[in-house]
Amino acid sequence: PYTTLFRSGLSQEQLAAAATLDRSFISMLERGIQSPNLVILFKLAEILSIPASHLISRTETALKVALPTKLS
């Protein structure tokens, strides 16, 4: 769910380094395998210069797709 957000000109390696995260975690975020905690979410939003609320909305949407009966 985050693929389009990370197309900011930064590679996975660059984004991971800026956020002090592992590149494989960034890859899992992009593929919707992992969801960020709030600290990581705010850090990524700052690095990407986008509102954290936008990332929260994307996470909520992804969770609704993955767990439709639990979040409806």
Side-chain angles (χ1 to χ4, degrees):
Y2 295 99
T3 304
T4 57
L5 294 178
F6 293 154
R7 295 184 193 261
S8 63
L10 295 176
S11 68
Q12 287 182 351
E13 291 82 7
Q14 291 169 322
L15 182 58
T20 60
L21 297 168
D22 191 85
R23 188 216 49 85
S24 63
F25 183 74
I26 299 297
S27 176
M28 288 187 282
L29 287 176
E30 287 184 337
R31 293 180 286 141
I33 295 171
Q34 277 286 2
S35 295
N37 65 34
L38 284 175
V39 172
I40 292 171
L41 189 137
F42 281 104
K43 189 183 291 189
L44 292 173
E46 182 178 339
I47 292 164
L48 296 168
S49 300
I50 59 173
S53 61
H54 192 67
L55 288 175
I56 292 168
S57 175
R58 299 289 294 236
T59 300
E60 182 179 26
T61 300
L63 286 174
K64 284 182 179 179
V65 169
L67 307 168
T69 59
K70 304 246 183 210
L71 296 176
S72 297

Coordinates of all heavy atoms in Angstrom, one line a residue:
P1 N 0.8 -1.2 0.0 CA 0.0 0.0 0.0 C 0.8 1.3 0.0 O 0.3 2.3 -0.2 CB -0.8 -0.1 1.3 CG -0.1 -1.1 2.1 CD 0.6 -2.0 1.2
Y2 N 2.1 1.2 0.2 CA 2.9 2.4 0.3 C 3.8 2.6 -0.9 O 4.5 3.6 -1.0 CB 3.9 2.3 1.5 CG 3.1 2.3 2.8 CD1 2.9 1.1 3.5 CD2 2.6 3.5 3.3 CE1 2.1 1.1 4.7 CE2 1.9 3.5 4.5 CZ 1.7 2.3 5.2 OH 1.0 2.3 6.3
T3 N 3.7 1.8 -1.9 CA 4.6 1.9 -3.1 C 4.5 3.3 -3.7 O 5.6 3.9 -3.9 CB 4.2 0.9 -4.2 OG1 4.2 -0.4 -3.6 CG2 5.1 0.9 -5.3
T4 N 3.4 3.9 -3.9 CA 3.3 5.2 -4.6 C 3.9 6.3 -3.7 O 4.5 7.2 -4.2 CB 1.9 5.5 -5.0 OG1 1.1 5.5 -3.8 CG2 1.4 4.6 -6.0
L5 N 3.8 6.1 -2.4 CA 4.3 7.1 -1.4 C 5.8 7.1 -1.5 O 6.5 8.1 -1.2 CB 3.8 6.8 0.0 CG 2.3 7.0 0.2 CD1 2.0 6.6 1.6 CD2 1.9 8.4 -0.1
F6 N 6.4 6.0 -1.7 CA 7.9 5.9 -1.6 C 8.5 6.2 -3.0 O 9.7 6.2 -3.1 CB 8.3 4.5 -1.2 CG 8.0 4.2 0.3 CD1 7.8 2.9 0.7 CD2 7.8 5.2 1.2 CE1 7.5 2.6 2.0 CE2 7.4 5.0 2.5 CZ 7.3 3.7 2.9
R7 N 7.8 6.6 -4.0 CA 8.4 7.0 -5.2 C 8.7 8.5 -5.2 O 8.3 9.3 -6.1 CB 7.4 6.7 -6.4 CG 7.2 5.2 -6.5 CD 6.4 4.9 -7.7 NE 6.0 3.5 -7.6 CZ 6.6 2.5 -8.3 NH1 7.6 2.7 -9.1 NH2 6.1 1.3 -8.1
S8 N 9.4 8.9 -4.2 CA 9.7 10.3 -4.0 C 11.1 10.6 -4.5 O 11.7 11.7 -4.2 CB 9.6 10.6 -2.5 OG 10.6 9.9 -1.8
G9 N 11.7 9.7 -5.2 CA 13.0 9.9 -5.7 C 14.1 9.2 -4.8 O 15.3 9.2 -5.2
L10 N 13.6 8.7 -3.7 CA 14.6 8.0 -2.8 C 14.5 6.5 -3.1 O 13.4 5.9 -3.3 CB 14.2 8.2 -1.3 CG 14.2 9.6 -0.8 CD1 13.7 9.6 0.7 CD2 15.7 10.1 -0.8
S11 N 15.6 5.8 -3.1 CA 15.7 4.4 -3.2 C 15.3 3.8 -1.9 O 15.3 4.5 -0.8 CB 17.1 3.9 -3.6 OG 18.0 4.1 -2.5
Q12 N 15.0 2.5 -1.8 CA 14.7 1.8 -0.6 C 15.9 2.0 0.4 O 15.7 2.2 1.6 CB 14.5 0.3 -0.8 CG 13.1 0.0 -1.4 CD 12.9 -1.5 -1.5 OE1 13.8 -2.3 -1.3 NE2 11.7 -1.8 -1.9
E13 N 17.1 1.9 -0.2 CA 18.3 2.0 0.7 C 18.4 3.4 1.3 O 18.8 3.6 2.4 CB 19.6 1.7 -0.2 CG 19.7 0.3 -0.6 CD 18.9 -0.1 -1.8 OE1 18.3 0.7 -2.5 OE2 18.8 -1.3 -2.1
Q14 N 18.1 4.4 0.5 CA 18.2 5.8 0.9 C 17.2 6.1 2.0 O 17.5 6.7 3.0 CB 18.1 6.8 -0.2 CG 19.2 6.8 -1.2 CD 18.9 7.6 -2.4 OE1 17.8 7.5 -3.0 NE2 19.9 8.2 -3.0
L15 N 15.9 5.6 1.8 CA 14.9 5.8 2.7 C 15.2 5.1 4.0 O 15.0 5.6 5.1 CB 13.5 5.4 2.1 CG 12.3 5.6 3.0 CD1 12.2 7.1 3.4 CD2 11.1 5.1 2.3
A16 N 15.6 3.9 3.9 CA 16.0 3.1 5.1 C 17.1 3.7 5.9 O 17.0 3.8 7.1 CB 16.4 1.7 4.7
A17 N 18.1 4.2 5.2 CA 19.2 4.9 5.9 C 18.7 6.2 6.6 O 19.1 6.4 7.8 CB 20.3 5.2 4.9
A18 N 17.9 6.9 5.9 CA 17.4 8.2 6.5 C 16.5 7.9 7.7 O 16.5 8.7 8.7 CB 16.6 9.0 5.5
A19 N 15.8 6.8 7.7 CA 14.9 6.4 8.8 C 15.6 5.5 9.8 O 14.9 5.1 10.8 CB 13.7 5.8 8.3
T20 N 16.8 5.2 9.6 CA 17.6 4.2 10.4 C 16.8 2.9 10.6 O 16.6 2.4 11.7 CB 18.0 4.7 11.8 OG1 16.8 5.1 12.6 CG2 18.9 5.9 11.7
L21 N 16.3 2.4 9.4 CA 15.6 1.1 9.3 C 16.3 0.2 8.3 O 17.2 0.7 7.6 CB 14.2 1.4 8.8 CG 13.3 2.2 9.7 CD1 12.0 2.6 8.9 CD2 12.9 1.5 10.9
D22 N 16.0 -1.0 8.3 CA 16.6 -2.0 7.4 C 15.8 -1.9 6.1 O 14.6 -1.7 6.0 CB 16.4 -3.4 8.0 CG 17.2 -4.4 7.2 OD1 18.4 -4.6 7.4 OD2 16.6 -5.0 6.3
R23 N 16.6 -2.0 5.0 CA 16.0 -1.9 3.6 C 14.9 -2.9 3.5 O 13.9 -2.7 2.8 CB 17.0 -2.0 2.6 CG 16.5 -1.8 1.2 CD 17.1 -2.6 0.1 NE 17.1 -4.0 0.3 CZ 16.1 -4.9 0.1 NH1 14.9 -4.5 -0.3 NH2 16.3 -6.2 0.4
S24 N 15.1 -4.1 4.0 CA 14.1 -5.2 3.9 C 12.8 -4.8 4.5 O 11.7 -5.2 4.1 CB 14.6 -6.5 4.4 OG 14.8 -6.5 5.8
F25 N 12.8 -4.0 5.6 CA 11.6 -3.5 6.3 C 10.9 -2.6 5.4 O 9.6 -2.6 5.2 CB 11.9 -2.9 7.6 CG 10.7 -2.5 8.4 CD1 9.9 -3.4 9.0 CD2 10.4 -1.1 8.4 CE1 8.7 -3.0 9.6 CE2 9.2 -0.7 9.1 CZ 8.4 -1.6 9.7
I26 N 11.6 -1.7 4.7 CA 11.0 -0.7 3.7 C 10.3 -1.5 2.6 O 9.2 -1.2 2.2 CB 12.0 0.2 3.2 CG1 12.7 1.1 4.3 CG2 11.4 1.1 2.1 CD1 11.7 2.0 5.0
S27 N 11.0 -2.6 2.1 CA 10.4 -3.4 1.1 C 9.1 -4.1 1.6 O 8.1 -4.1 0.8 CB 11.4 -4.5 0.7 OG 10.8 -5.4 -0.2
M28 N 9.1 -4.5 2.8 CA 7.9 -5.2 3.3 C 6.8 -4.1 3.5 O 5.6 -4.5 3.3 CB 8.2 -5.9 4.7 CG 9.0 -7.1 4.5 SD 9.2 -8.1 6.0 CE 10.4 -7.1 6.9
L29 N 7.1 -2.9 3.9 CA 6.1 -1.9 3.9 C 5.5 -1.6 2.6 O 4.3 -1.5 2.4 CB 6.7 -0.6 4.5 CG 7.0 -0.5 5.9 CD1 7.7 0.9 6.2 CD2 5.8 -0.6 6.8
E30 N 6.3 -1.5 1.6 CA 5.9 -1.2 0.2 C 5.0 -2.3 -0.3 O 4.0 -2.1 -1.1 CB 7.1 -1.1 -0.7 CG 7.8 0.2 -0.6 CD 8.9 0.4 -1.6 OE1 9.4 -0.6 -2.1 OE2 9.3 1.5 -1.8
R31 N 5.2 -3.6 0.1 CA 4.4 -4.7 -0.4 C 3.2 -5.0 0.5 O 2.5 -5.9 0.2 CB 5.3 -5.9 -0.5 CG 6.4 -5.8 -1.6 CD 7.3 -7.0 -1.8 NE 8.2 -7.0 -0.7 CZ 8.6 -8.1 -0.1 NH1 8.1 -9.3 -0.4 NH2 9.4 -8.1 0.9
G32 N 3.1 -4.2 1.6 CA 1.9 -4.4 2.4 C 2.1 -5.6 3.4 O 1.1 -6.1 4.0
I33 N 3.3 -6.1 3.5 CA 3.5 -7.3 4.4 C 3.7 -6.8 5.9 O 3.3 -7.5 6.8 CB 4.8 -8.1 3.9 CG1 4.5 -8.7 2.6 CG2 5.2 -9.1 5.0 CD1 5.8 -9.2 1.9
Q34 N 4.2 -5.6 6.1 CA 4.4 -5.1 7.4 C 3.6 -3.7 7.4 O 3.4 -3.1 6.4 CB 5.9 -4.8 7.7 CG 6.6 -5.9 8.2 CD 6.3 -6.2 9.6 OE1 5.5 -5.6 10.3 NE2 7.0 -7.2 10.1
S35 N 3.3 -3.3 8.6 CA 2.7 -2.0 8.9 C 3.6 -1.3 9.9 O 4.2 -1.9 10.8 CB 1.3 -2.1 9.5 OG 0.4 -2.7 8.6
P36 N 3.8 0.0 9.7 CA 4.7 0.7 10.6 C 4.1 1.0 11.9 O 2.8 1.2 12.0 CB 5.0 2.0 9.8 CG 3.7 2.2 9.0 CD 3.3 0.9 8.7
N37 N 4.9 1.1 13.0 CA 4.3 1.6 14.3 C 4.3 3.1 14.1 O 4.7 3.7 13.1 CB 5.1 1.1 15.5 CG 6.5 1.6 15.5 OD1 6.8 2.8 15.1 ND2 7.5 0.8 16.0
L38 N 3.7 3.8 15.2 CA 3.5 5.2 15.1 C 4.8 6.0 15.0 O 4.9 7.0 14.2 CB 2.7 5.8 16.2 CG 1.2 5.5 16.2 CD1 0.5 5.9 17.4 CD2 0.6 6.2 15.0
V39 N 5.9 5.6 15.7 CA 7.1 6.3 15.6 C 7.7 6.2 14.2 O 8.2 7.2 13.7 CB 8.1 5.7 16.7 CG1 9.5 6.3 16.5 CG2 7.6 5.9 18.1
I40 N 7.7 5.0 13.6 CA 8.2 4.9 12.3 C 7.4 5.6 11.3 O 7.9 6.3 10.4 CB 8.3 3.4 11.9 CG1 9.4 2.7 12.7 CG2 8.6 3.2 10.4 CD1 9.4 1.2 12.6
L41 N 6.1 5.6 11.5 CA 5.1 6.3 10.6 C 5.5 7.8 10.6 O 5.6 8.4 9.5 CB 3.7 6.0 11.0 CG 2.6 6.5 10.1 CD1 1.6 5.5 10.0 CD2 2.1 7.8 10.6
F42 N 5.6 8.4 11.7 CA 5.9 9.8 11.8 C 7.3 10.1 11.2 O 7.5 11.1 10.5 CB 5.8 10.3 13.2 CG 4.4 10.6 13.6 CD1 3.7 9.7 14.5 CD2 3.7 11.7 13.2 CE1 2.4 9.9 14.8 CE2 2.4 12.0 13.5 CZ 1.7 11.1 14.4
K43 N 8.2 9.2 11.4 CA 9.6 9.4 10.9 C 9.6 9.4 9.4 O 10.1 10.2 8.7 CB 10.5 8.3 11.4 CG 12.0 8.5 11.1 CD 12.8 7.4 11.6 CE 12.9 7.3 13.1 NZ 14.0 6.4 13.6
L44 N 8.8 8.4 8.8 CA 8.7 8.3 7.3 C 8.0 9.5 6.7 O 8.4 10.0 5.7 CB 8.0 7.0 6.9 CG 8.8 5.7 7.2 CD1 7.9 4.5 7.0 CD2 10.1 5.6 6.5
A45 N 7.0 9.9 7.4 CA 6.2 11.1 6.9 C 7.1 12.3 6.9 O 7.1 13.1 5.9 CB 5.0 11.4 7.8
E46 N 7.9 12.5 7.9 CA 8.9 13.7 7.9 C 9.9 13.6 6.8 O 10.1 14.5 6.0 CB 9.6 13.7 9.3 CG 10.5 14.9 9.4 CD 11.2 15.0 10.7 OE1 10.7 14.4 11.7 OE2 12.2 15.6 10.8
I47 N 10.4 12.4 6.6 CA 11.5 12.2 5.5 C 10.8 12.4 4.2 O 11.5 13.0 3.3 CB 12.1 10.8 5.7 CG1 12.9 10.7 6.9 CG2 12.9 10.4 4.4 CD1 13.3 9.3 7.3
L48 N 9.6 11.9 4.0 CA 9.0 12.0 2.7 C 8.2 13.3 2.5 O 7.7 13.6 1.4 CB 8.0 10.8 2.5 CG 8.6 9.4 2.5 CD1 7.5 8.4 2.6 CD2 9.4 9.2 1.2
S49 N 8.2 14.2 3.5 CA 7.6 15.5 3.4 C 6.1 15.3 3.1 O 5.6 16.1 2.2 CB 8.3 16.4 2.4 OG 9.6 16.6 2.8
I50 N 5.4 14.4 3.7 CA 4.0 14.3 3.6 C 3.3 14.2 4.9 O 4.0 13.9 5.9 CB 3.6 13.0 2.8 CG1 4.2 11.7 3.5 CG2 4.1 13.0 1.3 CD1 3.7 10.4 2.9
P51 N 2.1 14.5 5.0 CA 1.4 14.5 6.3 C 1.3 13.1 6.9 O 1.1 12.1 6.1 CB 0.0 15.0 6.1 CG 0.0 15.7 4.7 CD 1.2 15.0 4.0
A52 N 1.6 12.9 8.2 CA 1.5 11.6 8.8 C 0.1 11.0 8.6 O -0.1 9.8 8.5 CB 1.9 11.7 10.3
S53 N -0.9 11.9 8.6 CA -2.3 11.5 8.4 C -2.5 10.7 7.1 O -3.3 9.8 7.0 CB -3.3 12.7 8.5 OG -3.0 13.6 7.5
H54 N -1.7 11.1 6.1 CA -1.8 10.4 4.8 C -1.3 9.0 4.9 O -2.0 8.0 4.4 CB -1.0 11.2 3.8 CG -1.3 10.7 2.4 ND1 -2.5 10.9 1.7 CD2 -0.5 10.1 1.5 CE1 -2.4 10.4 0.5 NE2 -1.2 9.9 0.3
L55 N -0.3 8.8 5.7 CA 0.3 7.4 5.9 C -0.7 6.6 6.8 O -0.9 5.4 6.6 CB 1.7 7.5 6.5 CG 2.8 7.9 5.6 CD1 4.1 8.0 6.4 CD2 3.0 7.0 4.5
I56 N -1.3 7.3 7.8 CA -2.2 6.6 8.7 C -3.4 6.1 7.9 O -3.9 5.0 8.0 CB -2.6 7.5 9.8 CG1 -1.5 7.7 10.8 CG2 -3.8 6.9 10.6 CD1 -1.7 8.8 11.8
S57 N -3.9 7.0 7.0 CA -5.0 6.6 6.2 C -4.7 5.4 5.3 O -5.5 4.5 5.1 CB -5.5 7.8 5.3 OG -6.5 7.4 4.4
R58 N -3.5 5.4 4.7 CA -3.1 4.3 3.9 C -3.0 3.0 4.7 O -3.4 1.9 4.2 CB -1.7 4.6 3.2 CG -1.7 5.8 2.3 CD -2.4 5.5 1.0 NE -1.8 4.5 0.2 CZ -1.4 4.6 -1.0 NH1 -1.6 5.8 -1.6 NH2 -0.9 3.6 -1.7
T59 N -2.5 3.1 5.9 CA -2.4 1.9 6.8 C -3.8 1.4 7.1 O -4.0 0.2 7.1 CB -1.6 2.3 8.1 OG1 -0.3 2.7 7.7 CG2 -1.5 1.1 9.0
E60 N -4.7 2.3 7.5 CA -6.0 1.9 7.8 C -6.7 1.2 6.6 O -7.4 0.2 6.8 CB -6.8 3.1 8.3 CG -8.3 2.8 8.7 CD -9.0 4.0 9.1 OE1 -8.7 5.1 8.7 OE2 -10.0 3.8 9.9
T61 N -6.5 1.8 5.5 CA -7.1 1.2 4.3 C -6.6 -0.2 4.0 O -7.3 -1.2 3.7 CB -6.9 2.0 3.0 OG1 -7.5 3.3 3.3 CG2 -7.4 1.4 1.8
A62 N -5.3 -0.4 4.2 CA -4.6 -1.7 4.0 C -5.1 -2.7 5.0 O -5.4 -3.9 4.7 CB -3.1 -1.5 4.1
L63 N -5.3 -2.3 6.2 CA -5.8 -3.2 7.3 C -7.3 -3.6 7.0 O -7.6 -4.7 7.3 CB -5.7 -2.6 8.6 CG -4.2 -2.5 9.2 CD1 -4.2 -1.7 10.5 CD2 -3.7 -3.9 9.4
K64 N -8.1 -2.7 6.5 CA -9.4 -3.0 6.2 C -9.5 -4.0 5.1 O -10.4 -4.9 5.1 CB -10.2 -1.7 5.8 CG -10.6 -0.9 7.0 CD -11.4 0.3 6.6 CE -11.8 1.2 7.8 NZ -12.5 2.4 7.4
V65 N -8.6 -4.0 4.2 CA -8.6 -5.0 3.1 C -8.1 -6.3 3.7 O -8.7 -7.4 3.3 CB -7.7 -4.5 2.0 CG1 -7.4 -5.6 1.0 CG2 -8.3 -3.3 1.3
A66 N -7.1 -6.3 4.5 CA -6.6 -7.5 5.1 C -7.5 -8.2 6.1 O -7.6 -9.4 6.2 CB -5.2 -7.3 5.7
L67 N -8.2 -7.3 6.9 CA -9.0 -7.8 8.0 C -10.4 -7.2 7.9 O -10.9 -6.5 8.8 CB -8.4 -7.5 9.3 CG -7.0 -7.9 9.5 CD1 -6.4 -7.2 10.8 CD2 -6.9 -9.4 9.7
P68 N -11.2 -7.5 6.8 CA -12.5 -6.7 6.6 C -13.5 -6.9 7.7 O -14.2 -5.9 8.0 CB -13.0 -7.3 5.3 CG -12.3 -8.6 5.1 CD -11.0 -8.4 5.8
T69 N -13.6 -8.0 8.4 CA -14.6 -8.2 9.4 C -14.2 -7.6 10.7 O -15.1 -7.2 11.5 CB -14.9 -9.7 9.6 OG1 -13.7 -10.3 10.0 CG2 -15.5 -10.3 8.4
K70 N -12.9 -7.4 11.0 CA -12.5 -6.9 12.2 C -12.6 -5.3 12.3 O -12.7 -4.8 13.4 CB -11.0 -7.3 12.5 CG -10.8 -8.8 12.5 CD -10.5 -9.3 13.8 CE -10.2 -10.8 13.7 NZ -10.5 -11.5 14.9
L71 N -12.4 -4.6 11.2 CA -12.4 -3.2 11.2 C -13.6 -2.5 10.6 O -13.6 -1.3 10.4 CB -11.1 -2.7 10.5 CG -9.8 -3.1 11.2 CD1 -8.6 -2.6 10.3 CD2 -9.7 -2.5 12.5
S72 N -14.6 -3.3 10.2 CA -15.7 -2.7 9.5 C -16.7 -2.1 10.5 O -16.8 -2.4 11.6 CB -16.5 -3.7 8.7 OG -15.6 -4.2 7.7

